[in-house]
Structure formats: C-alpha cells, structure tokens
Amino acid sequence: MRFAVNALNFGLHGSAETLAAWAHNAEEAGFHAVMVSDHVAVTPDVAEQYRAPFYDPFATLAWLAARTERVRLGTTVAILPYRSPLLTARMAANIDHFSGGRFILGVGISWPRQEYAALGVPFAKRGRIADDYLAAITELWTRDTASIDTPSVSFADVQTGPRPLQDPHPPIWVGGNSRAAAVRAVRFGTGWHPINVTPGWLAEEGLPMLRAAAEREGRPVPALHPRIALPQEGLDAGGLRRVRDDLLAFEDLGADWVLFDSYAGKPELQRPFTEDWAMFETLADRVLDLGGGTVR
C-alpha cells in the first residue's frame, strides 16, 4: 500500500506557511502523496464544516509542485461541476508538467446546495454534469485536438495543451460512497476513492456494489483508494491499535492507497498544524513502514 496525507487547506490554521509545511514534512517523512480539498464559495452550508479561508486546490498544488520533488500531489476531491472541464483539464495537465508527472485528480460532486446556487450550477443535475465533464476531460487529455457533444458540455476542435506528462493521463480517483459514484468510478476512474469508510462497510456493501457496477458496465473493477479519518481523540495506544487493525483489513480488501485525514469535520475541533502533524509522525514511527509500503 501507499499512504497519503490530507493537507488542510482551509480554516483557522490554513495558511501558505502551513501548506508548505504539510508538503515538506510529508515528503521528508516518506509519505507517498499530499492531497488537498476543494470548495469555491464558502456559503453558510459549507461553513458549517469548512471555514474560510479556503485555498484553491489547483493554485495550491501548482505552488507546491515547485516546493517538492518526490511526493505525489492531488485533490480529495475537486468538485467537478464547479468548473468548466476545459479549465480543469488544462490546470491539471499544467500541474502534471510542473510536478514532473506527480499529479492525481481526485473528483466528486459534493453536497452544498447553497454553494451550487451561488455558482449558478443546477444541484439536481450535478451527477450528469460530472459524468459529462469527466468524458470531456479524458478526451482533452488524450488528444491534441478534442471534440465532444453531451447534454452538459459541447465543443469542437479545441486544444488545451500541453497534454499531461503521465501517459495516457494522470490517475483519476472518483470520490463518493454511493452507487452512482461507484458507477462513475467504473466508467471513468482509475480508482474508487470512498470517504470516511470502515473495512466492514467496504467488505459488506461498498466493494460488492463496486464489483456489481463493473459487471454491469463490462469494465474492470477500479483500484481501491479509501480516505479514512484518524481518531478524533488522537493516537494513544488504543487509537494506534485501531488504525493498525483497520489498515491490515484494508490491505486484505485490496486497497493500494490509503489517505489519512486528521480533520474532525467541525471547525471548532480543528487542531493547529503542529498537533496534526504530530499524529502523522506517530503513524510513521509506530504503524507505517513507508519505505516498504506496508504496516509494521
């Protein structure tokens, strides 16, 4: 397995300095990827979970590409319907070049109705829009001149080069725990990126749902890349044991990436960066064999 760090690009302790520290520390420790979140308009429903300031993921990762050398950089997750697919494809391909082929595009559709309204994007159509945008992004990434005609996006003979450095394109991690997200992952993704899941749910519900979607679509089952929450109370002996047990179970289920999230989901519970990073140091020292890509 490979292990990734969710760098908090929002809230009371979000700053350019802390984002640089997340990336530097993760790379020095040997973590395999640093990923950041996405919201464009911090409307009241967004602010209940994620407070401003909220740093743009693409601008942030372009900046971090110049400050790192080895660690992969990605989004968990970019909200597809918020941006034209021509813009997303172009920005992502640029970051792939700036980073020397280290970019991962994690995508999703998210939940804030007020944010969708503020951006003028129809909330009820967000799933269809996401599917059409992924089709467009893949087309733009794999052709010098692309054309597409779908209900959500239509263009002809468009160039957004340079094409990505990775061949045929950067990994696409499709986020979401629903059946529709599983189908989207099968159709468009290199990996499925369910959020805050347990091994038990994956074994009993999530993976059977993913396999059934792949069978219906006649496509391969995407790789498993879950994002998991670290214990809110910290990593005492009991917390370390739970994380280790979960990682061993994820490994048995075939996960080849696990993204660790230290954010407790409520702005008032957000810890300073130094406290969050101490949890990752403990993980690296006590639980993870980062060089070997396994659990101690």
Side-chain angles (χ1 to χ4, degrees), residues 70-137:
R70 301 177 304 277
V71 71
R72 295 185 72 96
L73 304 167
T75 53
T76 177
V77 292
I79 304 172
L80 274 169
Y82 287 176
R83 301 172 181 85
S84 162
L86 288 90
L87 177 61
T88 299
R90 182 181 178 84
M91 292 190 298
N94 280 201
I95 296 170
D96 202 45
H97 277 266
F98 297 153
S99 65
R102 292 184 281 134
F103 183 70
I104 297 168
L105 181 65
V107 297
I109 63 172
S110 203
W111 43 265
R113 289 178 178 270
Q114 292 171 327
E115 187 176 23
Y116 269 90
L119 295 169
V121 180
F123 182 83
K125 296 181 179 179
R126 68 196 190 283
R128 178 58 186 267
I129 292 171
D131 290 348
D132 289 348
Y133 282 13
L134 277 172
I137 289 167

Short mmCIF file of all heavy atoms in Angstrom, two decimals, residues 70-137:
data_model
loop_
_atom_site.label_atom_id
_atom_site.label_comp_id
_atom_site.label_asym_id
_atom_site.label_seq_id
_atom_site.Cartn_x
_atom_site.Cartn_y
_atom_site.Cartn_z
N ARG A 70 9.46 14.73 -4.83
CA ARG A 70 9.13 13.31 -4.97
C ARG A 70 7.67 12.99 -4.67
O ARG A 70 7.09 12.13 -5.32
CB ARG A 70 10.01 12.47 -4.02
CG ARG A 70 11.49 12.61 -4.27
CD ARG A 70 12.30 11.82 -3.25
NE ARG A 70 11.99 12.17 -1.87
CZ ARG A 70 12.51 13.22 -1.22
NH1 ARG A 70 13.36 14.02 -1.86
NH2 ARG A 70 12.19 13.47 0.03
N VAL A 71 7.10 13.64 -3.69
CA VAL A 71 5.77 13.28 -3.23
C VAL A 71 4.72 13.61 -4.31
O VAL A 71 4.82 14.64 -4.99
CB VAL A 71 5.45 14.00 -1.91
CG1 VAL A 71 5.25 15.49 -2.10
CG2 VAL A 71 4.27 13.37 -1.19
N ARG A 72 3.73 12.72 -4.48
CA ARG A 72 2.66 12.99 -5.43
C ARG A 72 1.71 14.04 -4.85
O ARG A 72 1.61 14.19 -3.62
CB ARG A 72 1.91 11.71 -5.78
CG ARG A 72 2.78 10.71 -6.53
CD ARG A 72 1.98 9.50 -6.97
NE ARG A 72 1.08 9.86 -8.06
CZ ARG A 72 1.36 9.69 -9.35
NH1 ARG A 72 2.51 9.18 -9.72
NH2 ARG A 72 0.48 10.03 -10.28
N LEU A 73 1.01 14.74 -5.73
CA LEU A 73 0.14 15.85 -5.34
C LEU A 73 -1.23 15.65 -5.97
O LEU A 73 -1.34 15.35 -7.16
CB LEU A 73 0.73 17.18 -5.84
CG LEU A 73 2.16 17.49 -5.37
CD1 LEU A 73 2.74 18.65 -6.17
CD2 LEU A 73 2.19 17.80 -3.89
N GLY A 74 -2.30 15.81 -5.14
CA GLY A 74 -3.62 15.54 -5.70
C GLY A 74 -4.74 16.25 -4.98
O GLY A 74 -4.54 16.95 -3.98
N THR A 75 -5.95 16.03 -5.50
CA THR A 75 -7.17 16.64 -4.95
C THR A 75 -8.06 15.58 -4.34
O THR A 75 -8.26 14.52 -4.91
CB THR A 75 -7.95 17.38 -6.06
OG1 THR A 75 -8.18 16.49 -7.15
CG2 THR A 75 -7.17 18.59 -6.55
N THR A 76 -8.61 15.90 -3.17
CA THR A 76 -9.52 14.98 -2.49
C THR A 76 -10.70 15.76 -1.89
O THR A 76 -10.71 16.04 -0.72
CB THR A 76 -8.82 14.15 -1.40
OG1 THR A 76 -9.81 13.32 -0.73
CG2 THR A 76 -8.14 14.98 -0.34
N VAL A 77 -11.65 16.13 -2.69
CA VAL A 77 -11.73 15.92 -4.12
C VAL A 77 -12.07 17.26 -4.79
O VAL A 77 -12.70 18.12 -4.16
CB VAL A 77 -12.83 14.88 -4.51
CG1 VAL A 77 -12.46 13.49 -4.05
CG2 VAL A 77 -14.19 15.28 -3.93
N ALA A 78 -11.65 17.43 -6.06
CA ALA A 78 -12.10 18.57 -6.84
C ALA A 78 -13.56 18.35 -7.21
O ALA A 78 -13.94 17.27 -7.66
CB ALA A 78 -11.26 18.71 -8.11
N ILE A 79 -14.38 19.39 -7.00
CA ILE A 79 -15.81 19.26 -7.25
C ILE A 79 -16.06 19.58 -8.73
O ILE A 79 -16.01 20.72 -9.17
CB ILE A 79 -16.61 20.20 -6.32
CG1 ILE A 79 -16.24 19.89 -4.86
CG2 ILE A 79 -18.11 20.01 -6.54
CD1 ILE A 79 -16.81 20.87 -3.86
N LEU A 80 -16.32 18.53 -9.50
CA LEU A 80 -16.31 18.62 -10.96
C LEU A 80 -17.27 19.67 -11.53
O LEU A 80 -16.90 20.43 -12.42
CB LEU A 80 -16.63 17.25 -11.56
CG LEU A 80 -15.44 16.32 -11.74
CD1 LEU A 80 -15.94 14.91 -12.07
CD2 LEU A 80 -14.52 16.82 -12.85
N PRO A 81 -18.54 19.74 -11.07
CA PRO A 81 -19.46 20.65 -11.74
C PRO A 81 -19.15 22.14 -11.54
O PRO A 81 -19.77 22.97 -12.20
CB PRO A 81 -20.82 20.31 -11.10
CG PRO A 81 -20.66 18.91 -10.61
CD PRO A 81 -19.24 18.85 -10.13
N TYR A 82 -18.21 22.48 -10.66
CA TYR A 82 -17.95 23.89 -10.37
C TYR A 82 -17.12 24.59 -11.43
O TYR A 82 -17.07 25.82 -11.46
CB TYR A 82 -17.24 24.02 -9.02
CG TYR A 82 -18.09 23.75 -7.80
CD1 TYR A 82 -17.53 23.77 -6.53
CD2 TYR A 82 -19.45 23.48 -7.91
CE1 TYR A 82 -18.29 23.53 -5.40
CE2 TYR A 82 -20.22 23.23 -6.79
CZ TYR A 82 -19.63 23.25 -5.53
OH TYR A 82 -20.39 23.00 -4.41
N ARG A 83 -16.41 23.84 -12.26
CA ARG A 83 -15.51 24.45 -13.23
C ARG A 83 -15.73 23.83 -14.61
O ARG A 83 -16.00 22.63 -14.71
CB ARG A 83 -14.04 24.23 -12.83
CG ARG A 83 -13.67 24.79 -11.47
CD ARG A 83 -12.26 24.35 -11.08
NE ARG A 83 -11.86 24.84 -9.77
CZ ARG A 83 -12.14 24.23 -8.62
NH1 ARG A 83 -12.84 23.10 -8.63
NH2 ARG A 83 -11.74 24.75 -7.47
N SER A 84 -15.54 24.62 -15.63
CA SER A 84 -15.58 24.08 -16.99
C SER A 84 -14.56 22.94 -17.10
O SER A 84 -13.44 23.04 -16.59
CB SER A 84 -15.22 25.16 -17.99
OG SER A 84 -14.84 24.59 -19.24
N PRO A 85 -14.94 21.86 -17.77
CA PRO A 85 -13.97 20.77 -17.94
C PRO A 85 -12.74 21.19 -18.75
O PRO A 85 -11.67 20.62 -18.59
CB PRO A 85 -14.77 19.68 -18.64
CG PRO A 85 -15.88 20.41 -19.33
CD PRO A 85 -16.22 21.55 -18.43
N LEU A 86 -12.89 22.20 -19.61
CA LEU A 86 -11.74 22.69 -20.34
C LEU A 86 -10.74 23.33 -19.38
O LEU A 86 -9.52 23.16 -19.52
CB LEU A 86 -12.15 23.69 -21.42
CG LEU A 86 -12.87 23.09 -22.64
CD1 LEU A 86 -14.37 23.06 -22.42
CD2 LEU A 86 -12.52 23.86 -23.90
N LEU A 87 -11.25 24.05 -18.39
CA LEU A 87 -10.38 24.66 -17.40
C LEU A 87 -9.74 23.61 -16.50
O LEU A 87 -8.53 23.64 -16.25
CB LEU A 87 -11.18 25.66 -16.56
CG LEU A 87 -10.42 26.35 -15.41
CD1 LEU A 87 -9.27 27.17 -15.96
CD2 LEU A 87 -11.38 27.23 -14.60
N THR A 88 -10.54 22.66 -16.02
CA THR A 88 -10.00 21.61 -15.15
C THR A 88 -8.93 20.80 -15.87
O THR A 88 -7.86 20.53 -15.31
CB THR A 88 -11.12 20.70 -14.65
OG1 THR A 88 -12.07 21.46 -13.90
CG2 THR A 88 -10.58 19.58 -13.78
N ALA A 89 -9.22 20.40 -17.09
CA ALA A 89 -8.24 19.62 -17.85
C ALA A 89 -6.95 20.40 -18.04
O ALA A 89 -5.85 19.84 -17.91
CB ALA A 89 -8.84 19.23 -19.21
N ARG A 90 -7.07 21.67 -18.36
CA ARG A 90 -5.88 22.50 -18.61
C ARG A 90 -5.06 22.68 -17.34
O ARG A 90 -3.83 22.51 -17.34
CB ARG A 90 -6.33 23.84 -19.17
CG ARG A 90 -5.19 24.80 -19.51
CD ARG A 90 -5.76 26.11 -20.05
NE ARG A 90 -4.73 27.07 -20.34
CZ ARG A 90 -4.04 27.11 -21.47
NH1 ARG A 90 -4.27 26.22 -22.41
NH2 ARG A 90 -3.13 28.05 -21.67
N MET A 91 -5.72 23.04 -16.23
CA MET A 91 -4.99 23.26 -14.98
C MET A 91 -4.31 21.99 -14.51
O MET A 91 -3.16 22.00 -14.07
CB MET A 91 -5.94 23.81 -13.90
CG MET A 91 -6.43 25.20 -14.16
SD MET A 91 -7.31 25.93 -12.76
CE MET A 91 -8.71 24.81 -12.58
N ALA A 92 -5.04 20.87 -14.58
CA ALA A 92 -4.48 19.61 -14.11
C ALA A 92 -3.29 19.19 -14.96
O ALA A 92 -2.27 18.71 -14.43
CB ALA A 92 -5.56 18.53 -14.13
N ALA A 93 -3.38 19.32 -16.27
CA ALA A 93 -2.26 18.96 -17.13
C ALA A 93 -1.05 19.85 -16.88
O ALA A 93 0.09 19.39 -16.89
CB ALA A 93 -2.69 19.05 -18.60
N ASN A 94 -1.30 21.14 -16.64
CA ASN A 94 -0.20 22.04 -16.32
C ASN A 94 0.51 21.61 -15.04
O ASN A 94 1.75 21.55 -14.98
CB ASN A 94 -0.71 23.47 -16.16
CG ASN A 94 -0.94 24.20 -17.46
OD1 ASN A 94 -0.97 25.42 -17.48
ND2 ASN A 94 -1.11 23.49 -18.57
N ILE A 95 -0.26 21.28 -13.99
CA ILE A 95 0.34 20.84 -12.74
C ILE A 95 1.10 19.54 -12.93
O ILE A 95 2.16 19.33 -12.32
CB ILE A 95 -0.73 20.71 -11.64
CG1 ILE A 95 -1.36 22.07 -11.33
CG2 ILE A 95 -0.14 20.12 -10.36
CD1 ILE A 95 -2.59 21.99 -10.44
N ASP A 96 0.59 18.66 -13.79
CA ASP A 96 1.31 17.42 -14.06
C ASP A 96 2.68 17.71 -14.64
O ASP A 96 3.67 17.05 -14.29
CB ASP A 96 0.48 16.54 -15.00
CG ASP A 96 0.86 15.08 -14.91
OD1 ASP A 96 1.02 14.58 -13.77
OD2 ASP A 96 1.02 14.44 -15.96
N HIS A 97 2.78 18.72 -15.50
CA HIS A 97 4.08 19.11 -16.05
C HIS A 97 4.95 19.79 -14.99
O HIS A 97 6.14 19.47 -14.85
CB HIS A 97 3.89 20.03 -17.25
CG HIS A 97 3.62 19.31 -18.51
ND1 HIS A 97 4.60 18.95 -19.42
CD2 HIS A 97 2.45 18.84 -19.03
CE1 HIS A 97 4.06 18.30 -20.43
NE2 HIS A 97 2.74 18.23 -20.23
N PHE A 98 4.36 20.71 -14.24
CA PHE A 98 5.15 21.43 -13.23
C PHE A 98 5.74 20.48 -12.19
O PHE A 98 6.80 20.73 -11.63
CB PHE A 98 4.28 22.47 -12.52
CG PHE A 98 3.74 23.56 -13.41
CD1 PHE A 98 2.56 24.21 -13.08
CD2 PHE A 98 4.42 23.95 -14.56
CE1 PHE A 98 2.06 25.22 -13.89
CE2 PHE A 98 3.91 24.95 -15.38
CZ PHE A 98 2.73 25.59 -15.04
N SER A 99 5.03 19.39 -11.92
CA SER A 99 5.45 18.45 -10.88
C SER A 99 6.28 17.29 -11.42
O SER A 99 6.69 16.41 -10.65
CB SER A 99 4.22 17.89 -10.16
OG SER A 99 3.42 17.10 -11.04
N GLY A 100 6.50 17.25 -12.72
CA GLY A 100 7.23 16.13 -13.29
C GLY A 100 6.42 14.85 -13.33
O GLY A 100 6.97 13.75 -13.20
N GLY A 101 5.10 14.97 -13.48
CA GLY A 101 4.23 13.79 -13.60
C GLY A 101 3.81 13.21 -12.27
O GLY A 101 3.68 11.99 -12.13
N ARG A 102 3.52 14.09 -11.29
CA ARG A 102 3.16 13.62 -9.95
C ARG A 102 1.71 13.91 -9.58
O ARG A 102 1.32 13.71 -8.43
CB ARG A 102 4.09 14.26 -8.90
CG ARG A 102 5.53 13.78 -8.98
CD ARG A 102 6.38 14.38 -7.86
NE ARG A 102 6.78 15.74 -8.14
CZ ARG A 102 6.72 16.75 -7.27
NH1 ARG A 102 6.22 16.55 -6.06
NH2 ARG A 102 7.14 17.95 -7.59
N PHE A 103 0.90 14.36 -10.51
CA PHE A 103 -0.45 14.82 -10.18
C PHE A 103 -1.46 13.68 -10.16
O PHE A 103 -1.40 12.76 -10.98
CB PHE A 103 -0.89 15.88 -11.18
CG PHE A 103 -2.24 16.48 -10.87
CD1 PHE A 103 -2.41 17.31 -9.78
CD2 PHE A 103 -3.35 16.19 -11.66
CE1 PHE A 103 -3.66 17.85 -9.49
CE2 PHE A 103 -4.58 16.72 -11.37
CZ PHE A 103 -4.74 17.56 -10.27
N ILE A 104 -2.41 13.75 -9.21
CA ILE A 104 -3.55 12.84 -9.12
C ILE A 104 -4.82 13.70 -9.10
O ILE A 104 -4.92 14.62 -8.26
CB ILE A 104 -3.51 11.99 -7.83
CG1 ILE A 104 -2.27 11.08 -7.82
CG2 ILE A 104 -4.78 11.15 -7.70
CD1 ILE A 104 -2.03 10.43 -6.46
N LEU A 105 -5.76 13.43 -9.98
CA LEU A 105 -7.03 14.16 -9.98
C LEU A 105 -8.08 13.33 -9.25
O LEU A 105 -8.62 12.36 -9.80
CB LEU A 105 -7.49 14.46 -11.40
CG LEU A 105 -8.80 15.24 -11.50
CD1 LEU A 105 -8.65 16.64 -10.91
CD2 LEU A 105 -9.29 15.34 -12.94
N GLY A 106 -8.36 13.69 -8.00
CA GLY A 106 -9.49 13.13 -7.28
C GLY A 106 -10.70 14.01 -7.50
O GLY A 106 -10.61 15.24 -7.39
N VAL A 107 -11.85 13.41 -7.81
CA VAL A 107 -13.03 14.19 -8.20
C VAL A 107 -14.27 13.72 -7.44
O VAL A 107 -14.34 12.58 -6.97
CB VAL A 107 -13.28 14.09 -9.73
CG1 VAL A 107 -12.12 14.68 -10.51
CG2 VAL A 107 -13.54 12.64 -10.15
N GLY A 108 -15.26 14.61 -7.36
CA GLY A 108 -16.52 14.27 -6.74
C GLY A 108 -17.57 15.31 -7.10
O GLY A 108 -17.33 16.21 -7.91
N ILE A 109 -18.74 15.19 -6.46
CA ILE A 109 -19.83 16.13 -6.77
C ILE A 109 -20.27 16.93 -5.55
O ILE A 109 -20.95 17.94 -5.69
CB ILE A 109 -21.04 15.42 -7.39
CG1 ILE A 109 -21.66 14.41 -6.44
CG2 ILE A 109 -20.64 14.75 -8.70
CD1 ILE A 109 -22.97 13.81 -6.94
N SER A 110 -19.95 16.51 -4.34
CA SER A 110 -20.20 17.23 -3.10
C SER A 110 -21.70 17.45 -2.84
O SER A 110 -22.55 16.95 -3.56
CB SER A 110 -19.43 18.55 -3.09
OG SER A 110 -19.22 19.01 -1.77
N TRP A 111 -22.00 18.23 -1.78
CA TRP A 111 -23.34 18.28 -1.21
C TRP A 111 -23.93 19.67 -0.95
O TRP A 111 -25.11 19.79 -0.68
CB TRP A 111 -23.34 17.56 0.13
CG TRP A 111 -22.10 17.93 0.93
CD1 TRP A 111 -20.93 17.24 0.98
CD2 TRP A 111 -21.90 19.09 1.74
NE1 TRP A 111 -20.01 17.89 1.77
CE2 TRP A 111 -20.59 19.03 2.25
CE3 TRP A 111 -22.71 20.17 2.09
CZ2 TRP A 111 -20.05 20.01 3.08
CZ3 TRP A 111 -22.18 21.15 2.92
CH2 TRP A 111 -20.87 21.07 3.41
N PRO A 112 -23.17 20.80 -1.00
CA PRO A 112 -23.73 22.08 -0.52
C PRO A 112 -24.64 22.74 -1.55
O PRO A 112 -24.20 23.30 -2.55
CB PRO A 112 -22.48 22.94 -0.26
CG PRO A 112 -21.30 22.04 -0.43
CD PRO A 112 -21.75 20.95 -1.35
N ARG A 113 -25.93 22.69 -1.30
CA ARG A 113 -26.89 23.30 -2.23
C ARG A 113 -26.66 24.81 -2.38
O ARG A 113 -26.80 25.36 -3.48
CB ARG A 113 -28.32 23.06 -1.73
CG ARG A 113 -28.77 21.60 -1.86
CD ARG A 113 -30.18 21.42 -1.31
NE ARG A 113 -30.64 20.06 -1.48
CZ ARG A 113 -31.31 19.60 -2.54
NH1 ARG A 113 -31.61 20.44 -3.52
NH2 ARG A 113 -31.70 18.35 -2.62
N GLN A 114 -26.32 25.49 -1.29
CA GLN A 114 -26.13 26.94 -1.37
C GLN A 114 -24.90 27.30 -2.20
O GLN A 114 -24.91 28.30 -2.93
CB GLN A 114 -26.02 27.52 0.04
CG GLN A 114 -27.31 27.44 0.83
CD GLN A 114 -27.13 27.82 2.30
OE1 GLN A 114 -26.09 27.58 2.90
NE2 GLN A 114 -28.15 28.42 2.89
N GLU A 115 -23.86 26.49 -2.11
CA GLU A 115 -22.68 26.74 -2.94
C GLU A 115 -23.00 26.54 -4.42
O GLU A 115 -22.60 27.34 -5.27
CB GLU A 115 -21.53 25.83 -2.51
CG GLU A 115 -20.21 26.13 -3.21
CD GLU A 115 -19.06 25.28 -2.70
OE1 GLU A 115 -19.32 24.18 -2.13
OE2 GLU A 115 -17.90 25.68 -2.87
N TYR A 116 -23.74 25.48 -4.74
CA TYR A 116 -24.17 25.27 -6.11
C TYR A 116 -24.97 26.48 -6.61
O TYR A 116 -24.78 26.95 -7.73
CB TYR A 116 -24.99 24.00 -6.23
CG TYR A 116 -24.16 22.76 -6.54
CD1 TYR A 116 -23.62 21.98 -5.54
CD2 TYR A 116 -23.92 22.38 -7.86
CE1 TYR A 116 -22.85 20.85 -5.83
CE2 TYR A 116 -23.17 21.26 -8.17
CZ TYR A 116 -22.64 20.51 -7.15
OH TYR A 116 -21.87 19.40 -7.44
N ALA A 117 -25.88 26.96 -5.77
CA ALA A 117 -26.70 28.11 -6.17
C ALA A 117 -25.85 29.34 -6.39
O ALA A 117 -26.05 30.10 -7.36
CB ALA A 117 -27.77 28.37 -5.11
N ALA A 118 -24.87 29.57 -5.51
CA ALA A 118 -24.01 30.74 -5.65
C ALA A 118 -23.21 30.70 -6.94
O ALA A 118 -22.91 31.75 -7.54
CB ALA A 118 -23.06 30.82 -4.45
N LEU A 119 -22.87 29.49 -7.39
CA LEU A 119 -22.08 29.34 -8.62
C LEU A 119 -22.95 29.19 -9.86
O LEU A 119 -22.43 29.08 -10.98
CB LEU A 119 -21.16 28.13 -8.48
CG LEU A 119 -20.08 28.26 -7.40
CD1 LEU A 119 -19.39 26.92 -7.16
CD2 LEU A 119 -19.06 29.32 -7.78
N GLY A 120 -24.28 29.16 -9.67
CA GLY A 120 -25.18 29.05 -10.81
C GLY A 120 -25.17 27.70 -11.48
O GLY A 120 -25.43 27.59 -12.68
N VAL A 121 -24.89 26.65 -10.72
CA VAL A 121 -24.83 25.30 -11.25
C VAL A 121 -26.03 24.51 -10.70
O VAL A 121 -26.26 24.51 -9.49
CB VAL A 121 -23.52 24.59 -10.85
CG1 VAL A 121 -23.47 23.18 -11.41
CG2 VAL A 121 -22.32 25.40 -11.32
N PRO A 122 -26.82 23.84 -11.54
CA PRO A 122 -28.01 23.13 -11.06
C PRO A 122 -27.65 21.93 -10.19
O PRO A 122 -27.03 20.97 -10.67
CB PRO A 122 -28.73 22.71 -12.34
CG PRO A 122 -27.69 22.74 -13.40
CD PRO A 122 -26.71 23.80 -13.01
N PHE A 123 -28.04 21.98 -8.93
CA PHE A 123 -27.70 20.93 -7.97
C PHE A 123 -28.26 19.58 -8.40
O PHE A 123 -27.57 18.55 -8.31
CB PHE A 123 -28.25 21.31 -6.60
CG PHE A 123 -27.93 20.33 -5.50
CD1 PHE A 123 -26.72 20.37 -4.84
CD2 PHE A 123 -28.86 19.36 -5.12
CE1 PHE A 123 -26.43 19.47 -3.83
CE2 PHE A 123 -28.58 18.45 -4.11
CZ PHE A 123 -27.35 18.51 -3.47
N ALA A 124 -29.48 19.56 -8.90
CA ALA A 124 -30.14 18.30 -9.23
C ALA A 124 -29.47 17.58 -10.41
O ALA A 124 -29.64 16.38 -10.58
CB ALA A 124 -31.61 18.54 -9.55
N LYS A 125 -28.70 18.32 -11.21
CA LYS A 125 -28.06 17.73 -12.38
C LYS A 125 -26.58 17.46 -12.17
O LYS A 125 -25.86 17.14 -13.11
CB LYS A 125 -28.25 18.65 -13.59
CG LYS A 125 -29.70 18.84 -14.01
CD LYS A 125 -29.81 19.75 -15.23
CE LYS A 125 -31.27 19.93 -15.66
NZ LYS A 125 -31.38 20.84 -16.84
N ARG A 126 -26.10 17.57 -10.92
CA ARG A 126 -24.66 17.54 -10.69
C ARG A 126 -24.03 16.20 -11.08
O ARG A 126 -22.89 16.17 -11.55
CB ARG A 126 -24.35 17.89 -9.23
CG ARG A 126 -24.80 16.86 -8.19
CD ARG A 126 -24.79 17.50 -6.81
NE ARG A 126 -24.98 16.53 -5.75
CZ ARG A 126 -26.15 15.98 -5.41
NH1 ARG A 126 -27.24 16.31 -6.08
NH2 ARG A 126 -26.23 15.12 -4.42
N GLY A 127 -24.76 15.10 -10.91
CA GLY A 127 -24.20 13.81 -11.28
C GLY A 127 -24.00 13.68 -12.78
O GLY A 127 -22.94 13.23 -13.24
N ARG A 128 -25.01 14.08 -13.54
CA ARG A 128 -24.90 14.01 -15.01
C ARG A 128 -23.80 14.96 -15.50
O ARG A 128 -23.03 14.63 -16.41
CB ARG A 128 -26.23 14.36 -15.66
CG ARG A 128 -26.19 14.37 -17.19
CD ARG A 128 -25.74 13.02 -17.72
NE ARG A 128 -25.55 13.02 -19.16
CZ ARG A 128 -26.50 12.66 -20.03
NH1 ARG A 128 -27.70 12.30 -19.59
NH2 ARG A 128 -26.26 12.65 -21.31
N ILE A 129 -23.75 16.15 -14.89
CA ILE A 129 -22.71 17.10 -15.28
C ILE A 129 -21.32 16.50 -15.03
O ILE A 129 -20.43 16.58 -15.87
CB ILE A 129 -22.87 18.42 -14.50
CG1 ILE A 129 -24.15 19.15 -14.94
CG2 ILE A 129 -21.66 19.33 -14.69
CD1 ILE A 129 -24.51 20.34 -14.08
N ALA A 130 -21.14 15.88 -13.86
CA ALA A 130 -19.85 15.29 -13.53
C ALA A 130 -19.46 14.22 -14.55
O ALA A 130 -18.30 14.16 -15.00
CB ALA A 130 -19.89 14.70 -12.13
N ASP A 131 -20.40 13.37 -14.93
CA ASP A 131 -20.10 12.33 -15.90
C ASP A 131 -19.69 12.94 -17.25
O ASP A 131 -18.70 12.51 -17.87
CB ASP A 131 -21.31 11.43 -16.10
CG ASP A 131 -21.60 10.56 -14.89
OD1 ASP A 131 -20.74 10.48 -13.98
OD2 ASP A 131 -22.68 9.95 -14.85
N ASP A 132 -20.44 13.93 -17.70
CA ASP A 132 -20.12 14.56 -18.98
C ASP A 132 -18.78 15.28 -18.91
O ASP A 132 -17.99 15.25 -19.88
CB ASP A 132 -21.22 15.55 -19.37
CG ASP A 132 -22.52 14.86 -19.76
OD1 ASP A 132 -22.52 13.62 -19.95
OD2 ASP A 132 -23.55 15.57 -19.87
N TYR A 133 -18.49 15.91 -17.78
CA TYR A 133 -17.21 16.63 -17.64
C TYR A 133 -16.03 15.65 -17.62
O TYR A 133 -14.97 15.93 -18.18
CB TYR A 133 -17.22 17.48 -16.39
CG TYR A 133 -18.00 18.78 -16.51
CD1 TYR A 133 -18.86 19.03 -17.58
CD2 TYR A 133 -17.88 19.78 -15.54
CE1 TYR A 133 -19.57 20.20 -17.68
CE2 TYR A 133 -18.58 20.97 -15.64
CZ TYR A 133 -19.42 21.18 -16.70
OH TYR A 133 -20.12 22.36 -16.80
N LEU A 134 -16.21 14.50 -16.97
CA LEU A 134 -15.13 13.52 -16.96
C LEU A 134 -14.86 12.99 -18.36
O LEU A 134 -13.69 12.78 -18.75
CB LEU A 134 -15.46 12.37 -16.01
CG LEU A 134 -15.16 12.60 -14.54
CD1 LEU A 134 -15.73 11.47 -13.70
CD2 LEU A 134 -13.65 12.74 -14.30
N ALA A 135 -15.91 12.76 -19.11
CA ALA A 135 -15.72 12.34 -20.50
C ALA A 135 -14.95 13.40 -21.28
O ALA A 135 -14.05 13.07 -22.08
CB ALA A 135 -17.08 12.07 -21.15
N ALA A 136 -15.28 14.67 -21.05
CA ALA A 136 -14.60 15.76 -21.76
C ALA A 136 -13.14 15.87 -21.32
O ALA A 136 -12.24 16.04 -22.16
CB ALA A 136 -15.33 17.08 -21.50
N ILE A 137 -12.89 15.77 -20.02
CA ILE A 137 -11.51 15.88 -19.52
C ILE A 137 -10.63 14.78 -20.10
O ILE A 137 -9.50 15.02 -20.54
CB ILE A 137 -11.51 15.86 -17.98
CG1 ILE A 137 -12.11 17.15 -17.44
CG2 ILE A 137 -10.10 15.65 -17.43
CD1 ILE A 137 -12.45 17.10 -15.96
#
